[in-house]
């Protein structure tokens, strides 16, 4: 629990508040998620591992092409300085979604454990 006296009002937060933004003005309060960073190195490691495992995943042809394209885009974006973390997260989540439908359950589960959004 965090409690602070900020002038004439008291702010009390309970539970895990990491990544939260709370802005208040009078009786109006806005709560939202802080901009999150992405562990680019970990995401690139995930994409590289998936790229190597694609032939063994038993994906349908269309899903395999999608996985190949997503891994290519992730690895390319990860090499760029100042890459957009929202784009990287979206690409990673899309790749995870493709893997979740893979036939090779144990292999895909191991790959999915490498990076979580």
């Amino acid at each position: 629990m965090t409690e602070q006296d900020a002038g004439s009002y008291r702010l009390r937060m309970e539970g895990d508040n990491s990544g939260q933004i709370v802005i208040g003005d009078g009786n109006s309060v806005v709560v939202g998620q802080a901009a999150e960073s992405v562990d680019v190195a970990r995401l690139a490691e995930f994409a590289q591992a998936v790229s190597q495992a694609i032939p063994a995943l038993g994906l349908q042809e269309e899903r395999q092409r999608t996985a190949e394209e997503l891994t290519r885009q992730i690895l390319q974006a990860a090499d760029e300085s100042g890459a957009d973390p929202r784009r990287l997260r979206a690409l990673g989540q899309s790749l995870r979604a493709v893997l979740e439908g893979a036939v090779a359950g144990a292999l895909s589960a191991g790959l999915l454990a490498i990076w979580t959004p």
Side-chain angles (χ1 to χ4, degrees), residues 3 14 27 42 44 52 54 56 59 74 76-77 80 90 100 104:
E3 191 168 324
E14 295 183 27
N27 290 328
R42 191 77 171 162
Q52 293 172 359
I54 285 175
L59 297 170
I74 290 168
Q76 181 180 3
E80 297 172 2
E100 287 167 354

Side-chain angles (χ1 to χ4, degrees), residues 69-80 83 87-88:
E69 179 61 21
L70 288 168
T71 56
R72 185 192 64 74
Q73 288 182 35
I74 290 168
L75 292 170
Q76 181 180 3
D79 281 342
E80 297 172 2
R87 178 172 180 259
L88 283 168

